[in-house]
Amino acid sequence: MADAVKAQWHGHNYQSRIFWQNALNLLDSTSGVIEVTFEADGPKAFDDVVVKYDPPIARSGAQRVPAEYHQVKWHVASGGRFGYEDFIDPAFIGAQSASLLQRLQQALATASAGSHFSFITTYRIKDGDPLADLVSGHDKTLLTERLFDGTTDKSRMGKVRKCWRDHLGLASDEELLRIVQGLRVFEGHRSLDELRTEINLKAQVVGLLTCSTSSDFRYDELARQLKVRGLNTLTRELFLRLCREEGLLAEAPADLDPFLPIAIRSFLGIAADIVGAAPENTLLLTAEFRQRYLRDDREWQRDIRPMVEAFLREAARRSAKLRLVLDAHASIAFLSGSVLDLKSGVETHLVQKGRVGTRVWRADDGSAAKGARFEAAEESLASRGHEIAIAISVSQPATPQARAYIAANLPNIGKVISFAMPAGPGQQSVGGGEHASALAEQVSNCVREVKAANPDALVHIFAACPNSLMFFLGQHHQGIAPCIVYEFDFDRRGHKTYQPSFTID
């Protein structure tokens, strides 16, 4: 019984933290959020957290989104799995008679046109289930072009369509499309601790007190009290009044922050992600990509590079202190570092996202003292040219895929230098900004030594590491160039290998 009560508490806390993730955006004038409700009166099943935007926000589709309705499902264990058939099972969402899809169908009848409906769960999609191929890595909407691919009901996607269509009593795929095109699926969502870290950081950004050291988390109980008091629908004005009454305002106003927040986004995370940059301080490149893949009519060097360089130079002209959010490809992180390099005179803090939440990484944050250095290994390739490849394995092993790509496509590479963490790859291998900066400097120094006999040797960069490390490595571009940066298909939904992006000279 005690465990059941504790699980119930955690479930309520999880919902509260999803609420605060969004509610704190009310104090960010750049977010577009105008109203956030905790445990709304409807639509049923998608009423845990409701967010409204003005103006409506852009997502992957052509239509802008005026509102988002969330259903939040936290589980004690994160090992649970689900698939497309669970969306027609009422028990999957703890209901007696109506399934997730039926609740979605009902919600559409009362929601504003273009609204999105988010299903947030700590469970993950089953391996091999068709649903795994339908959730966009771009913004978590369903990839309707894959679901409605023109195949028969006997095909892999046809079985999904027929299952959902029959369950909802629909006569055509067109009717089904109108229902599911606004559904977003967040599987394997953040833990309670990760949400706490992100809320603390966002509270700091907007000028509120944090709860970083106490064992309790004040914001959890505050959300429930808002519901009790009938104040569960917050606007900016009401939220500011509440903050004053509850003593939540920090002493130092957020507008005194000397760092100019800027963002480069080549793909989109969830709307509740920490943005912290005004639209005029954001370079939005999502139109140049389809999910994470560059459009066929675009080129990295010709189309993407000039936009990134011009944006960063203009930002540096306005402020010598930048806080950079990179919801972007690794190649863009490297290019950004090459623009804001060590001689630029710009102090750059980086917003780094990871398994333990979102943190601001600085090159002097003290994280290098306990951080391990790379183990470097050189490999000479027989009968090859003078070009050099470096493979950086931090979050994932990069060397095996790099070797395969080199063997198939790069006959002029004569040496491969592999950089790996002593304990092997992992999502928490880099402890912070100073650690990342030290690792980047180690790579740069090693490459300089190898290139000493041939300074003009072309360097090919294959990396699986945090964007912050790529940024710091880009700051050393003068010691590495000429170089080519490569993007890997980690989602395995495209070419499934490396592809060249920028050539930096």
Side-chain angles (χ1 to χ4, degrees):
M1 179 66 70
D3 287 342
V5 172
K6 185 166 66 174
Q8 187 177 26
W9 287 345
H10 286 326
H12 288 316
N13 290 344
Y14 197 84
Q15 182 180 333
S16 297
R17 294 181 193 187
I18 297 295
F19 165 73
W20 288 115
Q21 247 195 338
N22 289 277
L24 289 170
N25 283 331
L26 288 166
L27 302 185
D28 179 357
S29 60
T30 69
S31 69
V33 175
I34 60 166
E35 182 181 288
V36 182
T37 303
F38 178 66
E39 293 188 354
D41 294 330
K44 196 169 183 179
F46 286 95
D47 55 358
D48 290 339
V49 178
V50 177
V51 184
K52 295 184 179 180
Y53 306 96
D54 187 18
I57 62 171
R59 288 264 168 75
S60 58
Q63 190 172 16
R64 287 181 170 264
V65 179
E68 183 146 29
Y69 301 83
H70 300 77
Q71 178 172 162
V72 182
K73 291 297 179 185
W74 180 86
H75 300 275
V76 175
S78 60
R81 297 291 185 266
F82 66 97
Y84 76 92
E85 291 177 311
D86 291 294
F87 283 5
I88 69 170
D89 181 7
F92 176 60
I93 57 171
Q96 296 294 322
S97 58
S99 68
L100 177 75
L101 287 181
Q102 287 171 328
R103 291 302 188 197
L104 175 61
Q105 186 179 32
Q106 295 163 7
L108 284 166
T110 58
S112 303
S115 295
H116 276 181
F117 299 85
S118 295
F119 175 62
I120 299 175
T121 178
T122 50
Y123 278 1
R124 295 187 180 276
I125 297 174
K126 297 174 184 175
D127 293 339
D129 192 275
L131 186 61
D133 296 326
L134 291 175
V135 178
S136 167
H138 180 55
D139 60 1
K140 303 303 180 182
T141 55
L142 292 188
L143 296 170
T144 53
E145 67 271 25
R146 289 189 179 178
L147 179 58
F148 300 92
D149 59 359
T151 57
T152 68
D153 286 349
K154 294 183 179 180
S155 69
R156 188 165 183 264
M157 290 301 167
K159 292 177 182 178
V160 179
R161 296 194 305 271
K162 186 177 188 307
C163 173
W164 290 356
R165 198 176 60 232
D166 291 350
H167 174 67
L168 295 174
L170 303 176
S172 67
D173 283 348
E174 288 73 20
E175 292 177 278
L176 179 62
L177 173 61
R178 286 194 290 271
I179 291 173
V180 302
Q181 63 186 357
L183 179 62
R184 304 173 79 199
V185 180
F186 295 91
E187 46 109 13
H189 200 57
R190 295 169 174 84
S191 68
L192 276 163
D193 282 345
E194 288 170 337
L195 287 175
R196 174 175 174 147
T197 298
E198 292 201 6
I199 291 167
N200 275 328
L201 178 57
K202 186 176 286 189
Q204 185 178 25
V205 168
V206 298
L208 299 187
L209 296 176
T210 63
C211 300
S212 302
T213 56
S214 58
S215 57
D216 65 332
F217 190 56
R218 182 181 181 186
Y219 289 100
D220 289 339
E221 180 59 28
L222 181 56
R224 290 188 283 273
Q225 288 304 314
L226 291 177
K227 179 66 175 177
V228 172
R229 295 168 59 190
L231 299 174
N232 54 315
T233 295
L234 294 181
T235 61
R236 176 180 171 84
E237 292 73 22
L238 180 58
F239 191 18
L240 280 172
R241 190 184 82 191
L242 176 72
C243 289
R244 295 188 185 99
E245 292 174 354
E246 297 289 335
L248 295 176
L249 293 174
E251 292 182 4
D255 57 4
L256 295 182
D257 186 350
F259 282 80
L260 173 66
I262 63 172
I264 301 177
R265 306 191 119 200
S266 55
F267 47 78
L268 293 175
I270 65 173
D273 265 350
I274 296 169
V275 179
E280 63 269 22
N281 295 327
T282 299
L283 176 61
L284 194 60
L285 296 171
T286 52
E288 314 303 317
F289 295 83
R290 180 61 180 120
Q291 298 180 63
R292 290 180 181 249
Y293 305 105
L294 189 67
R295 284 173 39 180
D296 292 340
D297 59 343
R298 296 291 191 271
E299 293 181 9
W300 288 95
Q301 194 79 357
R302 182 194 68 195
D303 301 304
I304 307 302
R305 181 174 178 177
M307 288 190 285
V308 173
E309 291 180 335
F311 171 77
L312 291 173
R313 285 171 181 149
E314 171 58 20
R317 186 189 65 79
R318 288 183 284 124
S319 175
K321 294 179 180 290
L322 301 176
R323 180 179 297 113
L324 176 58
V325 180
L326 284 169
D327 287 334
H329 295 72
S331 299
I332 294 175
F334 184 91
L335 178 63
S336 299
S338 74
V339 176
L340 305 174
D341 64 17
L342 300 174
K343 297 181 180 180
S344 67
V346 177
E347 182 181 357
T348 307
H349 291 178
L350 301 164
V351 177
Q352 178 65 51
K353 299 177 182 179
R355 189 179 296 278
V356 295
T358 304
R359 302 179 186 277
V360 175
W361 281 16
R362 310 187 318 271
D364 61 350
D365 60 17
S367 59
K370 297 181 180 179
R373 296 297 186 264
F374 281 129
E375 292 180 345
E378 293 186 22
E379 175 187 359
S380 295
L381 303 180
S383 303
R384 294 274 181 154
H386 297 291
E387 296 178 6
I388 301 166
I390 61 175
I392 304 173
S393 302
V394 177
S395 52
Q396 302 284 344
T399 304
Q401 293 91 344
R403 282 200 192 105
Y405 183 84
I406 291 166
N409 301 280
L410 300 173
N412 293 325
I413 289 181
K415 182 167 292 188
V416 178
I417 311 173
S418 298
F419 297 91
M421 302 303 292
Q427 295 297 322
Q428 299 182 51
S429 299
V430 182
E434 189 177 72
H435 187 198
S437 178
L439 291 172
E441 188 168 9
Q442 181 186 355
V443 172
S444 173
N445 289 339
C446 182
V447 173
R448 280 175 182 267
E449 286 185 27
V450 175
K451 289 186 64 171
N454 187 5
D456 294 327
L458 182 63
V459 177
H460 303 257
I461 302 174
F462 304 89
C465 64
N467 268 355
S468 294
L469 199 158
M470 286 297 284
F471 175 88
F472 290 126
L473 186 61
Q475 288 192 311
H476 292 276
H477 69 101
Q478 292 177 330
I480 300 174
C483 60
I484 300 176
V485 191
Y486 290 79
E487 285 290 334
F488 186 70
D489 179 18
F490 287 107
D491 291 339
R492 298 189 63 79
R493 293 180 178 178
H495 43 73
K496 298 182 175 63
T497 185
Y498 282 102
Q499 291 289 315
S501 58
F502 301 121
T503 299
I504 310 292
D505 48 22

